[in-house]
């Protein structure tokens, strides 16, 4: 006897279609995403002691679907329509109603942005090509002092587009350079420098099975990448690679970089599925994304593991809560947006050796709530986030603390600093330097800390193998030998293969 009577099947199908919509990449979101009004803040599930307020529901026919967000020096917000232009928002004072929100278009011929940053008295825009504008890093300026941006300059074209193309731009902790985040359908630039050893050829012992649906077929390493450039976008250095589709990145107060990488949802229930996850993007890091079944397991010693596994989802914007008028625990949290499941998570990181561990908390959830970006406005100490993307209904919200706990500025966490400094000392060797670098790096190969071992091996790989190959082949300490020989396999001459195998035996 059937569980569902045949006459009820059509009704069930209609009900399911009304409840949800499957997107082009397999994610599911509520059909109300296509409503004409953003969900009210009062209808969201918000962490106790906090309040979310809808400031503005975006008229889609006039202002599109917003996917990116940044602040300017006057505390205004700048947003981008995924398929259109840029807008400037003047939020109301915290004690004023949402109706005081002011929105105006920015009068420059530029749009389709998925990265925004105000730095060096300029608006930096990363365009992810849609129909009109070329992908790349742009600089937009006010040239006559009238508080209106009027000059657009393409600093560097970037070969990538679609939702796995160029994404965020963030300010480096040195205050002098920029960091650009690109997904796995973005071809690598001819980098002037690379902290990642340039040995990402794909050699699989077992024949790779490409995705049966055709996604990313033929897309090879390095996959998604993160690079640093100067304020004029002239010189580029590769910092980290091996991602699927990390949309954004953020530095913590200790100058450590984090990103939120995507899963491949069609891989679920296969041995090579990897959940969405928070990665600590250290110097020269490789996270092992390879197309199809070629993804590296996290135990591979020439890659790095995640800090926190989140699970299925669609990663978008991220930001630390520094500068918010929140309790210390939430000032220090890393806020991450999940577009498909309508969740703003607070990730609470804690030092673990030279890296970090963390716990995950659902901070704000809603349906529909296709989150796209999140920022702190230092002028009012509030957290702002946008919803939208893929022509869904957009809105902008702000989050305030209404509880009674102290909101005094949190202090810098000193725990784990010694181990982090040891790793950073090794990361200073991530360029060709010679014998001295070999001696310094060698000591780190036997560390019990995986991130320190990785930094040490990466430093070795940047040096001429002839300087250290004999030392690697003669080493009898198991941990040192495994890491040194791995480095030799990656950058040494093929003629060394019999000696490497003999050493491993």
């Amino acid at each position: 006897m059937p569980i569902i009577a045949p006459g009820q099947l059509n009704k069930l199908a209609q009900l399911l279609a009304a409840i949800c919509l499957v997107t082009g990449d397999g994610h599911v979101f509520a059909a109300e995403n296509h409503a004409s009004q953003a969900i009210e803040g009062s209808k969201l599930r918000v962490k106790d002691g906090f309040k979310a307020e809808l400031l503005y529901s975006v008229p889609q026919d006039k202002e599109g679907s917003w996917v990116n967000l940044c602040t300017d020096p006057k505390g205004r917000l700048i947003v981008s329509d995924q398929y259109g232009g840029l807008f400037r928002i003047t939020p109301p004072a915290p004690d004023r109603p949402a109706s005081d929100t002011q929105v105006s278009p920015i009068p420059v011929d530029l749009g389709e942005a998925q990265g925004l940053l105000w730095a060096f008295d300029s608006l930096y825009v990363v365009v992810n090509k849609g129909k009109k504008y070329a992908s790349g890093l742009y600089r937009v300026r006010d040239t006559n002092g009238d508080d209106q941006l009027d000059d657009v300059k393409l600093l560097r074209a970037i070969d990538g587009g679609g939702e796995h193309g160029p994404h965020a731009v963030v300010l480096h902790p040195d205050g002098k350079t920029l960091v650009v985040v690109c997904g796995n359908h973005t071809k690598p630039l001819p980098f002037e420098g690379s902290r990642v050893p340039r040995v990402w050829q794909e050699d699989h012992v077992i024949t790779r099975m490409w995705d049966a649906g055709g996604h990313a077929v033929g897309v090879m390493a390095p996959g998604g990448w993160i690079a640093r450039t100067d304020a004029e976008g002239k010189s580029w250095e590769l910092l980290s690679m091996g991602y699927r589709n990390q949309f954004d990145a953020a530095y913590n107060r200790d100058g450590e970089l984090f990103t939120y990488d995507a899963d491949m949802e069609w891989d679920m229930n296969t041995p090579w599925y990897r959940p969405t996850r928070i990665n600590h993007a250290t110097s020269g890091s490789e996270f092992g994304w390879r197309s199809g079944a070629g993804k590296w397991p996290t135990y591979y010693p020439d890659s790095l593991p995640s800090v926190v596994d989140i699970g299925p989802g669609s990663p978008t914007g991220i930001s630390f809560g520094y500068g918010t008028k929140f309790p210390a625990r939430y000032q220090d949290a890393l806020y991450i947006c999940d577009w498909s499941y309508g969740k703003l998570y607070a990730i609470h990181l804690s030092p673990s050796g030279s890296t970090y561990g963390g716990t995950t908390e659902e901070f704000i959830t809603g349906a529909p709530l296709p989150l796209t970006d999140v920022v702190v406005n230092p002028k009012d100490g509030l957290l702002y986030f946008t919803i939208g993307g893929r022509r869904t209904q957009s809105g902008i919200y702000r989050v305030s603390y209404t509880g009674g706990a102290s909101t005094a500025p949190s202090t810098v966490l000193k725990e784990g600093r010694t181990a982090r400094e040891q790793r950073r000392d090794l990361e200073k060797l991530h360029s060709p330097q010679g014998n001295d670098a070999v001696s310094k790096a060698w000591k780190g190969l036997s560390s019990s800390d995986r991130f320190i071992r990785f930094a040490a091996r990466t430093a070795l790989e940047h040096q001429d193998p002839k300087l250290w190959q004999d030392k690697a082949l003669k080493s009898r300490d198991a941990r040192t030998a495994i890491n040194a020989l791995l480095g030799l396999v990656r950058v040494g001459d093929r003629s060394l293969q019999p000696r490497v195998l003999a050493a491993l035996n």
Side-chain angles (χ1 to χ4, degrees), residues 75 165 287 431:
F287 288 93
S431 63

Side-chain angles (χ1 to χ4, degrees), residues 186 222 244 277 286 338 398 488:
T186 314
R244 181 178 183 243
R277 55 190 190 152
E286 151 77 277
D338 177 359
R398 67 179 174 190
L488 194 57

